[in-house]
Amino acid sequence: WQGHPKEPEGWETTVYLVYGGTAVMLALALGFAPDTSIKTWASTEARARLELQAQGKLETPVFGVHYNSKKGDELETVWDEFAYKSTKPGEDDDDDDDDDDDDDDDEDDEDEDDE
């Protein structure tokens, strides 16, 4: 390191600030990340099954069925409503094409008036 300048160069301050900000953001992102481990999921699933059995709503758990998630039923209902609304079999999809033709005719009329 002999012969190199010891005073900081202009770019070093920016790099140090970016490194520090990145380290803080990474620490916050990892610190507040949800726990998605298999042990956590299995624990909550087992607790939900035991609660359902204690309430008498479940005799024997079925393999492959998630008893902890109530969102699945809600999402399925929302999806079914969307699917029904998006595919109305009796409705004509070409209604808006006629409107585009009318707009073109209006523009042609304006061009003729200008001449």
Side-chain angles (χ1 to χ4, degrees):
W1 305 120
Q2 296 171 351
H4 293 281
K6 303 222 183 221
E7 66 272 354
E9 297 183 18
W11 56 268
E12 289 178 341
T13 306
T14 305
V15 169
Y16 294 147
L17 290 175
V18 170
Y19 283 172
T22 303
V24 168
M25 287 175 27
L26 185 62
L28 288 173
L30 292 177
F32 289 109
D35 185 12
T36 57
S37 70
I38 189 70
K39 288 183 179 183
T40 304
W41 172 83
S43 164
T44 56
E45 186 68 25
R47 189 174 304 117
R49 290 179 182 189
L50 288 174
E51 288 174 4
L52 287 173
Q53 285 177 339
Q55 294 172 0
K57 296 180 180 178
L58 179 68
E59 290 182 25
T60 57
V62 178
F63 179 75
V65 176
H66 302 288
Y67 296 99
N68 189 31
S69 174
K70 294 180 183 173
K71 288 183 180 178
D73 295 336
E74 294 170 7
L75 292 176
E76 188 173 345
T77 304
V78 170
W79 176 255
D80 288 341
E81 289 174 7
F82 169 74
Y84 177 74
K85 289 178 182 178
S86 65
T87 57
K88 294 181 181 177
E91 197 163 308
D92 186 15
D93 292 337
D94 296 332
D95 291 341
D96 60 343
D97 292 340
D98 295 335
D99 295 338
D100 293 340
D101 294 339
D102 293 340
D103 292 340
D104 293 339
D105 293 338
D106 292 340
E107 291 174 6
D108 293 339
D109 293 339
E110 290 174 4
D111 292 338
E112 291 174 4
D113 292 339
D114 292 337
E115 294 174 0

